[in-house]
Every structure is written in C-alpha cells, then in structure tokens.
Amino acid sequence: MNVFSFFLNFLKDPHIGAILPSSRFVLKKVLDKIECEKIKTVVEYGPGSGTLTRFLLEKLRPEAKFIGIETNPKFYQELLKIQDSRLKVIHGNAKEVDHFLNQMEVKEVDLVLCSIPLSHLKEEERQALFEKTKALLSKSGKFIIYNQYSLQARRILENTFHQIHWELEIRNIPPAFMFEARKCGLEVGAPNHK
C-alpha cells in the first residue's frame, strides 16, 4: 500500500491512529529492541499495512509464529498479500486477543507489538488490554508499543508491568512515543523510564 492510499484510509476510518506508515527511524528503534533469534511467537495489535510485519518476518526464525490482529478491512486485505506461512492474520479487535489465541491453542507469546491508537480506548479498556497482554507473555516476554502521540498509556503500563522504558522519536510524522514493557525485570532496582 502506498503512502497516499494509507493516508486516504486514515481519513475514512476514525479508528486508525497513524496518518502515515511508520518512519524507517521508528521501525529501526522497534527492531533494535527485539532479539529475533529468541522469539517463538509474536502477536501484533494493529499491524496496519504491514510495514513492521514484513521487516520482522525477514528476521524471525523459520519456525516462529506471527499473529497479526487488524480491525481495518483495507489493511486486513493488504496483510493477506504477505506470502509467509508463519503469518496468521485475524480480522478482529485486539481486545479479544485471549479468545483468538485460545482458538489457535497458543499458550504464551514472547513478544507483543502494538500500534493501535491507545488514546482512542477508555482507561478501563487500556487496563484490560494491558492485563491480558501481560498474562499472555512468557516470563521474559516484551510488550512494545509504538506510534503513540501521547504519554497517556504510561501510568497504566507502570502499574501493570515490572519494567518500563519510553522514548520519543521525532523523525516520524507526527513525532511518536514508544514504550517497552517487560513482564519480569532483568535487574533489581532498574530505572522505571528512559
């Protein structure tokens, strides 16, 4: 999907959070946080047109699983064009992630990526989504949220996960916050943010 088509899709669907696809700077920062050789299962909430999905599939192990959950019909159709047997695309809402994974008999995941516009969710919906996400993660699992335009999710993340880091990437339209949350901390007394 080209940039113009992405933008038109944004104008037609108020639930899309990004005006344009993620910049290469955002993609690089997200990919730098992922140890692809250790990943068995990835879930992505709101993969959009699949920009990050494609890059990550190139780096994942051959036996890895990748599950994308997308609500927008045009993005869903775009994701179905990705020819990779490791990818399963679900046309649905991330709030039902536990239901989808139960149907697929997936017990835990190593990485959850999220680019859905969390500011569009009520606080209790964000809390429920974060709690479901934490429950699905393996002990060393990570939750990476990108392309957010406010720090609105930070407090709930800090109350739900052991270790949180956040940063702002200004080389994106518009500039975007990114969060990295770990289910279990690697260091005792690690700082709560970056």
Side-chain angles (χ1 to χ4, degrees):
M1 177 176 279
N2 65 40
V3 173
F4 183 69
S5 296
F6 191 104
F7 181 68
L8 287 178
N9 202 24
F10 165 79
L11 293 176
K12 292 175 184 175
D13 185 345
H15 298 102
I16 296 175
I19 298 168
L20 299 172
S22 303
S23 72
R24 70 177 193 264
F25 304 105
V26 167
L27 295 177
K28 181 176 182 341
K29 281 192 175 182
V30 172
L31 291 170
D32 285 349
K33 297 176 185 308
I34 300 169
E35 298 173 86
C36 292
E37 67 281 354
K38 295 181 179 179
I39 302 293
K40 295 177 189 165
T41 307
V42 179
V43 173
E44 187 173 10
Y45 303 155
S49 61
T51 305
L52 179 61
T53 309
R54 287 178 176 88
F55 278 109
L56 191 51
L57 282 167
E58 288 177 13
K59 298 181 178 304
L60 288 175
R61 301 177 341 185
E63 67 276 8
K65 292 180 186 174
F66 197 119
I67 302 158
I69 305 171
E70 178 58 56
T71 59
N72 181 273
K74 286 192 190 295
F75 286 155
Y76 172 72
Q77 290 301 319
E78 190 69 22
L79 291 164
L80 291 177
K81 295 177 185 175
I82 300 173
Q83 298 296 311
D84 193 310
S85 61
R86 298 170 296 173
L87 177 64
K88 168 72 174 158
V89 183
I90 298 168
H91 189 218
N93 194 306
K95 292 186 270 186
E96 298 177 62
V97 62
D98 51 343
H99 169 72
F100 298 135
L101 295 185
N102 282 338
Q103 283 185 326
M104 299 170 69
E105 298 181 2
V106 174
K107 302 295 181 210
E108 66 178 18
V109 299
D110 304 297
L111 174 65
V112 176
L113 300 166
C114 175
S115 66
I116 61 175
L118 295 171
S119 60
H120 292 188
L121 300 179
K122 295 175 186 169
E123 184 168 348
E124 59 271 13
E125 291 175 320
R126 283 193 298 271
Q127 180 73 49
L129 181 63
F130 292 174
E131 287 174 2
K132 283 182 182 184
T133 301
K134 183 178 180 182
L136 295 169
L137 286 172
S138 64
K139 187 176 180 181
S140 60
K142 282 187 187 180
F143 183 28
I144 298 175
I145 304 170
Y146 64 103
N147 274 1
Q148 301 299 308
Y149 307 117
S150 78
L151 289 171
Q152 202 169 27
R154 181 177 159 196
R155 184 182 56 77
I156 298 173
L157 279 171
E158 288 175 341
N159 291 334
T160 307
F161 289 88
H162 180 78
Q163 188 178 25
I164 306 295
H165 293 280
W166 63 271
E167 59 188 293
L168 175 65
E169 177 52 69
I170 61 170
R171 296 167 296 180
N172 193 63
I173 300 174
F177 289 100
M178 299 167 49
F179 301 88
E180 178 183 5
R182 291 181 180 272
K183 184 169 185 172
C184 294
L186 300 178
E187 305 167 12
V188 176
N192 210 25
H193 65 278
K194 183 176 176 183

